[in-house]
């Protein structure tokens, strides 16, 4: 649904989509990391807004994330139109898991993580890719990928990517502010506060009893806040986002300090506002949103945020179970997924496991390309 919202803003502007998409990811991370409150429980919505201001206190942490596709299927109204290729593709994605474990510190900026993707089905396979990022460089460990021959001399080495050089190659100016955690956090806080302020607490937010929150073992929480979208409030949720929340978010992004950081120009901003306004004023589009229940059935869509006794965010969980039935075809698409983030060792001394690669463990992009071309006989 969030992808739909951003599609509304940035339709036809690929660069705008890329940058605003990055902002949205940062906002989501802020929500998951910034959910702190005072020592006693607050009202759910107020707890979220108050917490955003404290997110800058997170100077280091270890994290573990998981995203699992529990259900993904497509059933055409006319079963004779079933596409075997589509069926096989969805079967491969069903039960697929995306996992990330990592360590972060703000000063000096360093993040390391291990990303793994596990696909099920007849063509099941697993990819694991360790990586390290500093303020100016990204190191990615070259994996061994089935059906994609990579020279053995390359596999296991860290590919060094200079972020400044990459920016120049894309024809954009290197902007260190893009890696400024404090400024990015400040932007995210402002956007989150603007968005949350537009949603009715009684309809979308509630406190969940800790004992009923089904927290994983080891997560000691004092308060759990839940944001929910249901069949009863989904059309309102979409309309609030389009007509109120996103216009406020765009105004914040349009501030000079943030516009420069995101490398957006005034044309980008004006186009986003115009696109959003055209949708908000389109009676037919608004009418379709009113009838969204004809297309979308929400069996479940909840996001839970858990706070520990020190008012730090230690756990976030999203669970969704959706049925999509386009009116014109009556086909059925089922999608169910779960995701979670767990944060530990908050503001403790970062204990990196991979560390910044050096010496023979590192290969430049030029060296990588030369070795790949050589393996293909070029």
């Amino acid at each position: 649904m969030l992808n739909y919202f951003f599609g509304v803003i940035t339709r036809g502007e690929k660069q705008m989509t890329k940058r605003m998409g990055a902002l949205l990811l940062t906002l989501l991370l802020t929500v998951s990391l910034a959910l702190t409150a005072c020592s006693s429980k607050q009202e759910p919505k107020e707890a979220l807004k108050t917490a955003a201001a404290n997110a800058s206190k997170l100077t280091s942490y270890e994290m573990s994330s998981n995203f699992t596709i529990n259900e993904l299927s497509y059933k055409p109204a006319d079963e004779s139109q079933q596409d075997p290729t589509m069926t096989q593709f969805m079967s491969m994605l069903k039960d697929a898991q995306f996992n990330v474990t990592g360590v972060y510190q703000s000063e000096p900026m360093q993040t390391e993580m291990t990303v793994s993707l596990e696909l099920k089905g007849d063509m099941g396979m697993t990819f694991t890719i360790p990586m390290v990022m500093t303020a100016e460089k990204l190191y990615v460990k070259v994996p061994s990928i089935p059906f994609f021959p990579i020279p053995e001399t390359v596999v296991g080495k860290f590919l060094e990517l200079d972020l400044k050089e990459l920016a120049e190659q894309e024809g954009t100016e290197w902007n260190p502010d893009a890696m400024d955690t404090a400024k990015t956090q400040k932007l995210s806080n402002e956007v989150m506060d603007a968005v949350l302020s537009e949603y009715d607490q009684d309809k979308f937010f509630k406190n969940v009893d800790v004992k009923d929150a089904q927290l994983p073992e080891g997560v000691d929480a004092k308060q759990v806040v839940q944001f929910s979208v249901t069949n009863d409030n989904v059309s309102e949720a979409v309309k609030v986002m389009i007509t109120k929340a996103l216009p406020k978010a765009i105004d914040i992004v349009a501030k000079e300090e943030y516009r420069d950081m995101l490398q957006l120009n005034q044309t980008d901003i004006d186009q986003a506002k115009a696109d959003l306004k055209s949708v908000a004023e389109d009676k037919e589009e608004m009418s379709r949103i009113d009838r969204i229940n004809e297309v979308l059935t929400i069996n479940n869509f909840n996001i839970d945020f858990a706070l520990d006794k020190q008012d730090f965010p230690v756990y976030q969980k999203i669970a969704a179970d959706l049925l999509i039935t386009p009116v014109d075809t009556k086909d059925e698409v089922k999608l169910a997924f779960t995701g979670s983030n767990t944060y530990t060792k908050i503001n403790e001394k970062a204990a990196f496991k991979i560390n910044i690669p050096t010496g023979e463990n590192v290969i430049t992009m030029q060296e990588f390309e030369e070795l790949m071309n050589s393996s293909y006989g070029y």
Side-chain angles (χ1 to χ4, degrees):
M1 186 176 293
L2 290 174
N3 285 336
Y4 168 79
F5 296 151
F6 259 90
V8 168
I9 298 181
T10 60
R11 185 169 54 227
E13 295 290 327
K14 292 184 178 180
Q15 287 297 318
M16 185 66 173
T17 300
K18 178 181 177 182
R19 290 157 184 164
M20 293 293 282
L23 171 61
L24 182 57
L25 290 175
T26 303
L27 173 60
L28 290 176
L29 180 61
T30 299
V31 173
S32 65
L33 294 179
L35 190 61
T36 55
C38 62
S39 58
S40 60
K41 289 184 180 180
Q42 298 185 63
E43 289 297 315
K45 183 176 172 180
E46 193 61 32
L48 287 169
K49 294 178 63 177
T50 302
N54 297 327
S56 59
K57 296 178 182 179
L58 297 176
T59 58
S60 66
Y61 53 81
E62 292 190 6
M63 57 89 70
S64 176
S65 300
N66 169 270
F67 181 83
T68 301
I69 299 177
N70 306 109
E71 176 67 36
L72 181 61
S73 63
Y74 168 70
K75 180 182 178 182
D78 182 354
E79 293 192 10
S80 65
Q81 299 298 313
Q82 186 76 51
D83 185 347
T85 302
M86 177 67 73
T87 301
Q88 183 181 24
F89 175 71
M90 289 193 168
S91 175
M92 181 177 68
L93 289 181
K94 185 179 183 299
D95 295 323
Q97 291 194 34
F98 178 77
N99 297 290
V100 179
T101 58
V103 183
Y104 164 82
Q105 73 174 21
S106 59
E107 291 294 337
M109 201 294 262
Q110 183 175 334
T111 302
E112 68 175 36
M113 62 183 69
T114 298
V115 179
S116 66
L117 175 63
E118 183 178 355
L119 301 177
K120 308 289 186 176
D122 296 336
M123 298 188 65
M125 59 188 73
T126 300
F127 303 97
T128 300
I129 306 177
M131 59 182 68
V132 178
M133 175 179 281
T134 65
E136 295 185 354
K137 292 188 177 182
L138 172 65
Y139 301 86
V140 181
K141 193 171 186 177
V142 180
S144 175
I145 303 176
F147 314 116
F148 188 78
I150 297 179
E152 287 298 322
T153 54
V154 174
V155 173
K157 290 185 180 294
F158 281 87
L159 178 62
E160 181 185 58
L161 302 172
D162 188 301
L163 301 178
K164 183 176 181 180
E165 289 182 1
L166 288 177
E168 293 173 350
Q169 291 172 7
E170 292 179 357
T172 59
E173 184 177 349
W174 165 243
N175 185 2
D177 283 348
M179 304 300 294
D180 187 331
T181 305
K183 182 175 286 190
T184 301
Q185 190 68 68
K186 182 172 178 288
L187 168 60
S188 298
N189 293 345
E190 289 189 38
V191 172
M192 188 176 76
D193 183 72
V195 171
L196 291 178
S197 66
E198 298 300 331
Y199 282 90
D200 184 273
Q201 176 170 277
D202 294 336
K203 293 180 180 180
F204 296 97
F205 301 90
K206 68 178 180 180
N207 278 320
V208 177
D209 195 307
V210 172
K211 69 177 184 295
D212 297 327
Q214 298 182 338
L215 299 175
E217 184 177 355
V219 173
D220 184 15
K222 73 161 189 180
Q223 181 175 4
V224 177
V225 176
Q226 184 176 87
F227 174 82
S228 300
V229 178
T230 67
N231 291 314
D232 294 330
N233 64 20
V234 61
S235 61
E236 180 180 351
V238 176
K239 281 189 172 182
V240 168
M241 182 64 75
I242 293 174
T243 62
K244 297 180 179 180
L246 287 179
K248 278 191 173 182
I250 292 175
D251 286 338
I252 293 171
V253 172
K255 293 180 180 180
E256 184 175 355
E257 61 177 318
Y258 299 139
R259 189 174 66 235
D260 292 344
M261 182 180 75
L262 296 171
Q263 295 182 312
L264 300 174
N265 56 47
Q266 192 58 47
T267 300
D268 295 328
I269 300 295
D270 292 342
Q271 184 63 54
K273 288 183 176 181
D275 289 344
L276 194 59
K277 184 178 180 181
S278 68
V279 174
E281 295 178 350
D282 188 329
K283 293 182 179 180
E284 184 177 346
E285 187 71 27
M286 291 294 103
S287 178
R288 279 199 291 267
I289 294 174
D290 285 332
R291 303 191 308 273
I292 196 171
N293 292 116
E294 298 176 4
V295 177
L296 176 65
T297 300
I298 300 178
N299 298 315
N300 182 44
F301 189 92
N302 299 323
I303 305 177
D304 293 348
F305 306 92
L307 289 69
D308 68 5
K309 295 178 181 179
Q310 284 72 45
D311 300 323
F312 282 117
V314 290
Y315 183 68
Q316 176 196 24
K317 177 179 68 177
I318 180 171
D321 186 350
L322 313 172
L323 173 65
I324 303 169
T325 54
V327 176
D328 55 342
T329 65
K330 296 301 180 182
D331 296 346
E332 288 187 359
V333 177
K334 293 182 179 180
L335 173 62
F337 59 86
T338 55
S340 66
N341 297 313
T342 304
Y343 301 92
T344 59
K345 299 184 179 179
I346 294 173
N347 291 348
E348 296 181 12
K349 181 177 175 58
F352 294 107
K353 301 174 179 64
I354 304 174
N355 294 304
I356 300 175
T358 58
E360 295 181 354
N361 292 324
V362 177
I363 184 172
T364 66
M365 177 59 76
Q366 181 178 347
E367 292 171 334
F368 177 76
E369 291 177 346
E370 290 175 353
L371 287 170
M372 289 298 294
N373 290 337
S374 176
S375 69
Y376 289 116
Y378 296 150

